[in-house]
Amino acid sequence: GSMGVLTMTLAKAAVNALVRAVDRIKGTASRVALFPGLDNDHIALLKDTMETLASFEHKLPPVDAYGATPIQEAMRWGLDSFKLSRARSKLLVIITDGRFNAQYAQSMQEKLKAAGVEFALMSIGINNSEAARNHVLVHQADQINSGLLQLMSQTEFARTLTR
């Protein structure tokens, strides 16, 4: 999307912290994609499941935000990404300053749920509460970290890890 420099910097730091936490847990792995992607791609894969944290952290700093956010492509990518996964718990987290089409998002959530994928959405500055059952809205860049913690704490994925 078109996040400002401060917001994008804090969002990247939050994503990095989330990846570090998830990848430390035995039996978990993360994938990170950017929407819109680099050049003419709708999607840029920044980290695959087998990629090292160091490699991911090397790619993260130059990532910038521009243009519209292809929300539908992001959700479709998430669904497609998990199709071959045999993981017991699957979680798609989207952090965006874009506006969701609530009807499309609800339809995609049903498809994700049928595929065993939980969906969590953090919106920055735009209320997308009708687009996701698990949604957190933050209004300021300095709320991103606490918002992400709140979002993650509301997931079945997190509850499974704490059992």
Side-chain angles (χ1 to χ4, degrees):
S2 56
M3 290 183 196
V5 174
L6 175 62
T7 302
M8 186 62 169
T9 300
L10 292 172
K12 289 190 297 186
V15 168
N16 190 37
L18 179 59
V19 168
R20 280 177 162 271
V22 168
D23 285 1
R24 280 190 190 135
I25 301 165
K26 186 178 179 182
T28 65
S30 63
R31 293 181 88 203
V32 178
L34 174 67
F35 306 90
L38 309 170
D39 302 318
N40 293 326
D41 296 331
H42 283 291
I43 301 163
L45 186 62
L46 293 180
K47 181 188 179 296
D48 211 341
T49 54
M50 301 306 288
E51 193 167 347
T52 67
L53 186 61
S55 173
F56 168 64
E57 288 178 337
H58 178 74
K59 292 180 195 175
L60 199 55
V63 168
D64 199 2
Y66 59 91
T69 307
I71 300 289
Q72 294 181 356
E73 288 90 339
M75 292 188 81
R76 172 61 55 196
W77 176 86
L79 181 60
D80 292 345
S81 290
F82 286 112
K83 279 198 173 156
L84 300 178
S85 172
R86 294 189 314 261
R88 284 187 316 240
S89 295
K90 304 173 206 171
L91 173 64
L92 172 62
V93 177
I94 294 180
I95 301 171
T96 184
D97 65 344
R99 183 169 305 284
F100 268 68
N101 174 314
Q103 189 173 7
Y104 177 83
Q106 290 166 4
S107 169
M108 279 302 294
Q109 272 185 98
E110 292 307 314
K111 291 176 184 173
L112 287 162
K113 185 177 179 181
V117 180
E118 184 177 8
F119 177 60
L121 172 64
M122 183 165 75
S123 299
I124 302 170
I126 294 177
N127 190 346
N128 286 306
S129 60
E130 292 184 10
R133 286 185 280 281
N134 184 4
H135 174 261
V136 168
L137 169 64
V138 297
H139 295 282
Q140 303 294 326
D142 63 359
Q143 297 173 327
I144 291 173
N145 283 339
S146 61
L148 188 57
L149 283 171
Q150 178 187 348
L151 183 71
M152 292 303 295
S153 72
Q154 296 170 181
T155 65
E156 184 60 32
F157 178 83
R159 287 189 288 277
T160 299
L161 294 175
T162 58
R163 285 185 195 142

